[in-house]
Amino acid sequence: MIETEPKGQMPGGPGGGKNIIVIEDLQKRFGHLEVLKGVDLKVDQGEVVVVIGPSGSGKTTMLRCINFLEEYNGGRIYVDGELVGYREKGGKLVRRSEGEIARMRADVAMVFQSFNLFPHMTALENVALGPIQVRKVPKDQAYEKAKALLARVGLADKLDSYPSKLSGGQQQRVGIARALAMEPKIILFDEVTSALDPELVGEVLAVMKQLAQSHGVTMLVVTHEMMFAREVANRVVFMDGGKVVEEGKPEELFSNPQTERLRTFLKRFFEH
Amino acid sequence: MQAILDNWPLLIDGLVVTIEISIYVIVFGTLIGLVGGLSLLYGGSVLRGLFRAYVDIIRGLPLLVTIFLIFYGIPAVGIPMDKFPAAVLALSFFAGGHMSEIIRGAVGSIPKGQMDAAASIGLTFFPRLRYVILPQAIRRIVPPWVNLCVELIKGTSLVSLVSITDLLLSAQQILERTAQPIPFYILTAAIYFVLCYSMATLGGRLEKRFAYYD
């Protein structure tokens, strides 16, 4: 599966779209700890890719690198053909300016495990902040759109609530609306149900499922929800030890794992 | 009583000086503190080192020593400066060091995820601070900020020792003439108390106001 064309512009994939993300030989170290040891991954426009793997396998770090919340030490990440975080100058990588990095981040939305809503803003303000301050959408227009998005995630009656007054599930749905408001090229979901009480997981997964089925939204989802992966993903990627070990269509990957590591991982999961 | 009535314009002049110095010092101190606190958190190693040294020096010196150092030090190195600005500079220098530490602590206590979330929607560094980090930090800044302001208002009385006619010095000048120390000291104490107490009350209100989102 590992191809080496740079700046993926090839057609293909279930959405028939081009590669919106191309990751080549991505490496990341924290001090002496090597977290990513050469990750290769491509995501097509409109595709829903679910990343599974044991904790510490580098899934979250990979997502954070795509949004350049972490600098990476080796390899390349391209979003829509543009190198993330750096420019190539005479074979060397030079960090992009703050403004360029911000512009690229605006096109890559992220939903966080710990929600990270802005506690001093209402649900509506949380969703509208990016469009107003980054996209320079006029305020009334941005609030109209934020209202529609909050309605879409089932929170039409919580527009003026502060996050402290919302349940975890509701907060996370605001988080999803906030991501959608940027009309991003891709949304990264970082274990978005892991911090939720079990009875609240369903409402968040339902919103994500509905998003996935609406097409057009490209999703890269790190999760431990195997049922979600099985039902919703176009493709499942298994990471272990800082590398992509296996990937494929969910039905193939789950029923016929090719590697011992994936077999062990799935066994542990489905025994519980 | 008659002595107070006769001399109150002088006392008011002194009070005005005290209030003026206090306002300047609080404003400049807060500005220095904002730059200092943010530099300590987000600055490069040079900037961080500079402000670290500044804050540590300020915290290790008695205020009066700082005042004498700047008040007599600046003319000594050949920079002409009037008494009033020199005193404001000295107190602001002191205030800025402590404010830096307050702001560093408050801003640094905002969870890292807030910066991540603000970055991920595409805000650059200063908008992240302005719209996301500082509005949350301010309620943690206010209580120690008010405490420091109260200390600063009281600390302005030290400028009487470099012969600036503030509230304390004007009271002393009056009582030297009238030879009635007790009533004038009580009156002066009462005025300082009212100043500081209203500052503390204002702080309590601010704190509530910035906690609107709980």
Side-chain angles (χ1 to χ4, degrees):
Chain A
M1 55 104 329
I2 298 169
E3 297 158 327
T4 47
E5 288 91 331
K7 311 193 182 191
Q9 298 292 350
M10 307 98 51
K18 55 184 179 176
N19 292 144
I20 201 81
I21 297 181
V22 176
I23 301 176
E24 294 170 348
D25 193 28
L26 180 65
Q27 291 158 40
K28 170 69 186 173
R29 282 185 305 276
F30 290 106
H32 289 293
L33 184 69
E34 248 189 295
V35 182
L36 300 177
K37 301 176 186 169
V39 173
D40 294 278
L41 183 69
K42 285 178 183 170
V43 178
D44 289 338
Q45 195 159 43
E47 201 180 13
V48 178
V49 174
V50 171
V51 182
I52 59 172
S55 30
S57 57
K59 310 176 298 277
T60 290
T61 304
M62 178 185 71
L63 286 196
R64 292 176 59 83
C65 286
I66 296 171
N67 212 354
F68 209 59
L69 295 177
E70 301 287 352
E71 297 180 11
Y72 45 97
N73 307 110
R76 302 279 191 276
I77 303 174
Y78 298 95
V79 170
D80 206 9
E82 254 191 304
L83 184 60
V84 171
Y86 303 97
R87 277 182 180 287
E88 268 184 290
K89 256 190 193 157
K92 281 210 287 191
L93 293 190
V94 186
R95 201 187 150 102
R96 285 178 190 267
S97 70
E98 176 76 13
E100 277 184 305
I101 291 170
R103 174 180 60 75
M104 291 194 68
R105 280 182 182 142
D107 288 335
V108 180
M110 188 150 177
V111 185
F112 298 87
Q113 179 175 1
S114 48
F115 325 137
N116 295 349
L117 293 188
F118 307 129
H120 58 298
M121 296 181 186
T122 63
L124 194 68
E125 289 167 338
N126 263 278
V127 177
L129 178 69
I132 293 170
Q133 295 301 337
V134 178
R135 299 278 192 232
K136 307 293 176 201
V137 176
K139 272 191 185 174
D140 43 348
Q141 223 174 305
Y143 284 122
E144 274 316 304
K145 195 174 129 199
K147 270 183 206 167
L149 285 170
L150 283 167
R152 187 170 164 193
V153 299
L155 293 173
D157 56 337
K158 299 288 181 192
L159 304 179
D160 297 322
S161 301
Y162 286 99
S164 61
K165 298 279 185 272
L166 299 174
S167 73
Q170 291 169 332
Q171 287 189 55
Q172 196 56 296
R173 284 184 280 151
V174 175
I176 294 172
R178 179 172 70 179
L180 285 169
M182 296 304 293
E183 296 179 356
K185 291 172 180 165
I186 177 154
I187 306 183
L188 310 171
F189 293 82
D190 181 18
E191 300 194 27
V192 296
T193 57
S194 298
L196 293 176
D197 292 334
E199 74 270 21
L200 300 177
V201 169
E203 64 188 64
V204 173
L205 290 182
V207 167
M208 289 167 66
K209 192 170 170 181
Q210 171 213 327
L211 264 187
Q213 286 160 353
S214 72
H215 301 296
V217 184
T218 311
M219 297 165 65
L220 183 57
V221 183
V222 166
T223 186
H224 292 291
E225 298 291 332
M226 294 302 153
M227 287 309 289
F228 178 82
R230 199 179 273 229
E231 286 174 26
V232 179
N234 300 121
R235 192 152 49 97
V236 177
V237 173
F238 172 62
M239 278 180 77
D240 192 16
K243 285 190 149 191
V244 172
V245 175
E246 211 176 318
E247 63 175 295
K249 290 200 180 330
E251 55 271 27
E252 291 163 12
L253 195 105
F254 284 117
S255 56
N256 187 20
Q258 299 295 308
T259 58
E260 190 51 44
R261 281 200 274 182
L262 179 53
R263 270 195 288 277
T264 319
F265 176 75
L266 291 177
K267 216 160 126 193
R268 253 195 335 225
F269 244 97
F270 289 109
E271 266 169 8
H272 284 304
Chain B
M1 197 61 214
Q2 191 55 44
I4 292 175
L5 286 176
D6 288 346
N7 289 292
W8 71 265
L10 205 61
L11 212 55
I12 293 293
D13 286 348
L15 175 62
V16 168
V17 170
T18 289
I19 291 176
E20 270 179 3
I21 294 182
S22 298
I23 291 173
Y24 277 124
V25 168
I26 288 171
V27 169
F28 290 143
T30 303
L31 290 177
I32 297 172
L34 211 53
V35 175
L38 295 177
S39 300
L40 284 170
L41 280 171
Y42 305 114
S45 52
V46 177
L47 208 55
R48 269 208 319 272
L50 271 175
F51 274 100
R52 191 74 266 160
Y54 163 54
V55 170
D56 287 347
I57 289 170
I58 284 298
R59 289 206 295 189
L61 290 180
L63 175 54
L64 188 54
V65 175
T66 309
I67 291 175
F68 282 152
L69 265 178
I70 292 183
F71 196 84
Y72 296 113
I74 285 183
V77 296
I79 304 166
M81 199 177 235
D82 288 340
K83 280 195 308 190
F84 185 86
V88 166
L89 180 69
L91 279 164
S92 301
F93 194 66
F94 172 84
H98 289 272
M99 290 287 188
S100 297
E101 205 45 32
I102 287 173
I103 287 169
R104 184 198 62 79
V107 174
S109 73
I110 304 301
K112 197 183 161 294
Q114 291 293 310
M115 215 37 155
D116 286 346
S120 80
I121 58 172
L123 291 171
T124 49
F125 180 71
F126 284 105
R128 291 207 286 275
L129 285 181
R130 182 176 158 200
Y131 298 111
V132 175
I133 304 298
L134 291 181
Q136 296 179 62
I138 192 153
R139 59 189 288 204
R140 299 185 197 198
I141 291 173
V142 164
W145 182 83
V146 170
N147 283 341
L148 181 58
C149 288
V150 169
E151 289 306 315
L152 290 171
I153 293 171
K154 292 190 275 189
T156 58
S157 62
L158 293 174
V159 303
S160 60
L161 296 173
V162 290
S163 64
I164 289 175
T165 318
D166 69 335
L167 178 59
L168 180 59
L169 189 56
S170 55
Q172 281 169 332
Q173 287 169 349
I174 295 164
L175 64 87
E176 267 164 29
R177 268 182 299 161
T178 57
Q180 288 182 329
I182 301 304
F184 274 100
Y185 273 127
I186 290 176
L187 182 61
T188 307
I191 296 174
Y192 274 114
F193 178 81
V194 169
L195 276 184
C196 293
Y197 188 78
S198 28
M199 185 70 212
T201 313
L202 174 76
R205 280 212 203 134
L206 280 179
E207 216 176 311
K208 280 213 188 77
R209 221 187 113 187
F210 289 124
Y212 62 89
Y213 53 86
D214 267 343

